[in-house]
Structures are given as C-alpha cells and as structure tokens.
Amino acid sequence: MWVVVILGVADLAIRILALGIIPGNRRPTTAMAWLLGIFFVPFVGIVLFLLFGNFRLSSRRREQQQQVNERVQAGITALSDAESDYQGPEWVKSAGELNRRLGSLPMVDGNTVDLIPGYPDSIFAMTEAVRKAKKFVNAEFYIMSTDHITDDLLTALEEAAERGVEVRVLFDHIGTLRVKGYKNLLKRLKAGKIQWKRMLPLLPIHGQWRRPDLRNHRKIMVVDGELAFTGSQNLIEPSYNNPRHRKAGREWVELMACLRGPIVTTLNVVFATDWLSETDESLEHQLQLPVDTAPGNVTAQVVPSGPGFITENNLRLFNTLIYSAQHRISICSPYFVPDDSLLYAITTAAQRGVDVELFVSEKGDQFLVHHAQQSYYEALLEAGVRIFLYKAPFVLHAKHFTIDDEVAVLGSSNMDMRSFSLNLEVSVMLLGADIVTKMRAVENTYRDISHELRLSDWLNRPLAARYVDNVARLTATVQ
C-alpha cells in the first residue's frame, strides 16, 4: 500500500516539476516532445531526459571556450592586423559582423580557395601536403579509419612525425568508434609518434561523461600554418567500410576546399581550441599568419559553432544570408531537417521571388533522418523551392550553399537541428563572384545527374509513405 502511494506521489512530483523546468531555454516543440514522453512514461522519460536533455557541454568546457576566445582576441595581434577591407554589399558586411561577435573570428582578405569535389582527389591532396610538411600538421575529423583509401595519408602522417614534424590528430570518439576497424586505428596510432586524442570521449570508467549524443563533427587539416583543408569529408573510404554499402554501390559524394592565406590561421584557431579542450595544451605559438599573407583575392571568415557556444552560430548565419538574398539561393545538404526559423527563411525567399533550389539525396543513408527530411518537401515545393534528388545509390554528403553572386558557405554543418544544437561544427563563409562561380560549377554537376521532384508527383505518393515521413518528423524535435 505504502509503495503504491509513494510511487503515485513521485509520479505526480515528476510531472509538476517537468512542467516548470523542461520548457526553460528550449524551443516549445522540443519541450513538448520531452513533456509528452515524461507524461506517458514518467520514470523512463525522466531517465532519458537526464541522459539527453542537456545539449550543452559541461560548464568547464564552455568556460574554457570563452577563455580561448578572449585569449585569441587579446594575444593574436596578427589576426587583428589582417582584418578585412571588404568593399561589398552592406548585408554581407553585416553577416560578417554577426559572425565576429558570435564566433570571435574576423573576416580576412587575400585568400585562395580551390574546391576538390573528387573523394580520392581530396585524400591525395591532403597526403601530398603532409609529405611536404616541415613544422606541424593538425588534423581533426569526425570519423577516421585505416583502410585502403586512407592508408597513404596515415602513412604520411606517421612518417612526418618520425622526421620531427609535430603531428596532432583529433577524432570524435563515438563517431569513429561506430565504424569498422576502430581497434586497428587505435593500434596504429599507439605504435607511432603521432600525438592523438579522442574528442568528446565517453569513457565513464575514466570519469569522462557527458550527454551521449553530442559530437564533434568538424573536418579540418592545417599544414605548417600555410595550407588548410576543410569541408564535408571524413577520413574513411567512400562506402564507410560497410559491406552492405559496397554491395549496393553506395558511395558518399563530398566537397572539400584547399585554402591558403590568413584564413588558414583562423581554421587553426578552431583546431587549437579543440586540442586545448582535450589536452589542456596551448598551441598559441602556432597561430601566426602565413608567410605569404595575401596569395589570392577571396575574403573569408571561419564560423565555429556547437554546444560550446551559447548561441547557434551557424543557424543565425544561414538565416541572415537567406533573408538577405535577392536573386538566387542554391543549397546542398545531406540531412535537411530545418527548424521553423530556417524553414520560414527559405520558403519566404522563394515566395518573394528568389530562385531557390535544394540538392538532396534521392535515398538517404539514415532511415529516420531521411523520412523526417521528406516531411518538409511539400511545404518547400508549395512555396516554389525546386528540389533536385541526387541519383541513388550515391549519398550526396557535401554541405554548402551560395547566395546571389556574393557569398558561398561550405563546411561540416548540415541544415538540421543536430548540427545547430548538438554537434560542434565549422563553416567557412567565402565572398566574391569568383568563388561563387566555382561553387556553382559544382552545383551544376549535381543538377546534371539529379532529377527534379515535382509537387504533383509528391502529393500522389502512397499514404503509407506519408505516414512514415510524419512519424519520423517527430524525432527531429527531441534535442
């Protein structure tokens, strides 16, 4: 009898407390999803909320992020000296100021940017850069693997470390753990002189604990402070070491950029921040401008984002640029599950006459995410957005967009709520007609091998498919 009373009181207390606690600093849809779970299954719901409800990093990591930002601003006068003299539209300058205030990194002039759409081509370019390294190599990737595609690059990193180059490697613990060959990778790293760490390690036995689904999703490589790579690609073969993918002919399609100029230093700031977070070792001595400080004509700005910041830096930038567009928006995102603000920005742009196109995979690699994504197609098509489906079985994993003839953005960030709230991401805003033209050339290749989705065809899809899409959409709010 007393057990029943105690359980009843506890159940009521959980519900009352949840009503006043969970909505705090959360989107109403997110709060409602958590509340429904707790009200239907109170004890299970509260356990899940305690595990997954806090999407921020620990207070220590957030304080550390702020301290690094302040140290960068105060201690790296070279970056202040290199600040941009960009003379383009005011709305672009405004976006740059937003990025500067949120992410602490300035726009810088004088960069060159070469886009590398070929999967093996980017691995080869990074390998060759490492072989020429003289001082240091900093590599940070969400997923790393030792396989037939990455072997030469890992060998180049090992050889660089052997000849005295400082080689530092970061990889996301859970992201890399999930792919085949994790133990072989650890064995290889432990056998050489590469300095390496897991990012966001989840090792309770060592006292390392945090929300289990937080990820460091960034992809960065910096060589000697002179050359950098960033984009969408992980260091793994294009079928992700998955026999099922290989059997189906499924390969990931990526876009990486090779950059020179002052932007390299700002990318290295992001790596240095993550290295400091995992090791407590400062790399400020590396954060000097390249010797060739103005090799090109592209103005660029690095935008770090993630739960280490108090704001959603990438989402705010994306919305700002989309609302500023006058003529054309082209978006490529493998996981397109927008929040209301981004959905309104995109559909509003189309409704006010801007040509908006979206490139996505015909068939996604993640069941729930792909069906959640499809649940937004009707609203997009009705607003006038053109949707191009990249031919299956390939997975269009590249992440970038262009605005008018002024701005291109690429990096690791998807246009979904996971990338806005849960993942540490890095994006690069690139300014000028030249880089936009290069990006549009890549987008044209997507269009050539895609087919356009028509609203009439989409409305006629089976009711069962519509049902699955709508159910999957509910999973997008639980963050």
Side-chain angles (χ1 to χ4, degrees):
M1 177 66 178
W2 284 108
V3 173
V4 174
V5 172
I6 291 171
L7 288 176
V9 171
D11 177 77
L12 181 61
I14 288 173
R15 295 169 188 262
I16 293 173
L17 288 172
L19 282 172
I21 294 173
I22 288 176
N25 293 321
R26 287 183 175 84
R27 296 182 180 91
T29 51
T30 300
M32 185 60 70
W34 278 117
L35 287 172
L36 284 172
I38 290 171
F39 270 61
F40 277 116
V41 280
F43 295 102
V44 175
I46 199 65
V47 170
L48 291 175
F49 178 75
L50 292 174
L51 285 173
F52 298 100
N54 180 18
F55 64 84
R56 297 299 179 196
L57 293 175
S58 68
S59 58
R60 183 187 71 85
R61 300 263 315 219
R62 295 198 305 273
E63 289 169 3
Q64 197 173 56
Q65 174 78 63
Q66 182 60 34
Q67 290 169 6
V68 170
N69 290 346
E70 292 172 357
R71 286 160 66 182
V72 166
Q73 291 298 302
I76 306 178
T77 56
L79 274 181
S80 299
D81 294 340
E83 285 193 42
S84 174
D85 192 30
Y86 177 74
Q87 299 298 313
E90 286 299 321
W91 59 268
V92 178
K93 294 180 184 179
S94 178
E97 181 60 25
L98 171 71
N99 295 336
R100 174 63 178 266
R101 294 187 181 192
L102 297 181
S104 300
L105 298 173
M107 289 200 305
V108 288
D109 300 330
N111 305 284
T112 62
V113 182
D114 294 313
L115 301 179
I116 312 175
Y119 200 109
D121 295 339
S122 62
I123 298 286
F124 177 78
M126 286 187 279
T127 302
E128 290 301 296
V130 171
R131 286 184 174 140
K132 297 174 183 176
K134 296 182 174 69
K135 296 179 290 185
F136 67 85
V137 178
N138 294 332
E140 170 179 355
F141 289 84
Y142 173 56
I143 292 174
M144 286 191 68
S145 168
T146 174
D147 54 53
H148 66 285
I149 294 294
T150 65
D151 180 68
D152 283 350
L153 176 54
L154 288 172
T155 298
L157 290 168
E158 291 163 345
E159 291 173 348
E162 286 289 339
R163 67 175 184 267
V165 175
E166 294 182 15
V167 179
R168 294 177 175 85
V169 168
L170 292 170
F171 58 86
D172 185 81
H173 181 199
I174 303 302
T176 298
L177 175 65
R178 294 185 305 178
V179 301
K180 184 179 179 181
Y182 177 69
K183 290 183 179 179
N184 290 335
L185 174 67
L186 293 189
K187 183 178 179 181
R188 187 166 182 176
L189 291 172
K190 290 175 181 178
K193 295 183 178 181
I194 294 173
Q195 301 177 59
W196 62 275
K197 288 289 181 180
R198 303 174 182 90
M199 295 186 290
L200 299 180
L202 190 58
L203 299 166
I205 196 171
H206 297 296
Q208 296 174 321
W209 175 258
R210 38 83 186 173
R211 177 171 166 167
D213 58 343
L214 296 182
R215 302 283 184 270
N216 192 319
H217 196 240
R218 294 167 177 160
K219 291 93 174 169
I220 300 170
M221 178 177 282
V222 179
V223 180
D224 290 342
E226 302 287 335
L227 179 69
F229 298 86
T230 195
S232 65
Q233 187 171 337
N234 293 300
L235 294 188
I236 190 170
E237 65 92 24
S239 292
Y240 276 59
N241 289 335
N242 189 315
R244 182 168 52 87
H245 293 329
R246 283 196 289 269
K247 184 177 180 180
R250 183 175 297 118
E251 294 187 352
W252 271 238
V253 178
E254 310 286 1
L255 183 65
M256 294 290 282
C258 176
L259 306 104
R260 296 179 184 273
I263 196 65
V264 174
T265 303
T266 56
L267 277 168
N268 206 26
V269 167
V270 179
F271 177 91
T273 300
D274 289 337
W275 184 261
L276 178 64
S277 295
E278 303 299 348
T279 68
D280 289 327
E281 179 190 5
S282 173
L283 300 181
E284 287 183 59
H285 63 282
Q286 291 185 356
L287 304 180
Q288 305 302 318
L289 288 175
V291 174
D292 186 359
T293 55
N297 62 354
V298 176
T299 297
Q301 186 175 29
V302 170
V303 184
S305 58
F309 294 88
I310 61 172
T311 52
E312 296 170 325
N313 300 357
N314 47 358
L315 175 60
R316 291 176 187 272
L317 170 63
F318 297 173
N319 281 339
T320 295
L321 293 176
I322 290 167
Y323 274 119
S324 300
Q326 299 298 307
H327 308 293
R328 179 176 173 182
I329 302 169
S330 296
I331 298 170
C332 178
S333 180
Y335 311 117
F336 183 84
V337 187
D339 75 335
D340 287 345
S341 70
L342 182 60
L343 181 64
Y344 292 164
I346 292 172
T347 53
T348 299
Q351 289 164 340
R352 60 187 170 84
V354 177
D355 293 330
V356 184
E357 58 183 358
L358 171 66
F359 297 96
V360 291
S361 299
E362 181 179 46
K363 185 175 182 180
D365 63 302
Q366 298 182 25
F367 179 85
L368 281 177
V369 175
H370 184 67
H371 282 281
Q373 171 176 293
Q374 290 186 155
S375 74
Y376 291 90
Y377 288 174
E378 184 175 337
L380 293 167
L381 291 167
E382 286 180 340
V385 177
R386 300 179 68 187
I387 300 177
F388 292 91
L389 305 179
Y390 196 90
K391 186 177 180 181
F394 295 97
V395 176
L396 184 57
H397 193 247
K399 312 160 197 295
H400 52 85
F401 65 95
T402 51
I403 304 291
D404 295 343
D405 294 323
E406 304 293 341
V407 181
V409 177
L410 88 161
S412 66
S413 181
N414 300 305
M415 285 194 171
D416 67 356
M417 285 179 274
R418 163 164 281 282
S419 279
F420 300 146
S421 299
L422 303 181
N423 291 346
L424 282 80
E425 306 282 7
V426 63
S427 304
V428 184
M429 185 173 75
L430 306 165
L431 308 182
D434 289 346
I435 187 59
V436 172
T437 298
K438 290 180 181 180
M439 193 77 81
R440 291 267 164 81
V442 174
E443 295 164 355
N444 290 341
T445 66
Y446 299 161
R447 194 181 301 100
D448 291 342
I449 55 177
S450 301
H451 71 269
E452 186 171 358
L453 180 64
R454 303 291 182 181
L455 178 59
S456 57
D457 295 331
W458 189 244
L459 292 177
N460 288 327
R461 75 192 192 282
L463 289 177
R466 186 187 297 263
Y467 178 85
V468 173
D469 291 346
N470 291 340
V471 171
R473 184 168 178 154
L474 293 175
T475 66
T477 64
V478 184
Q479 294 180 10

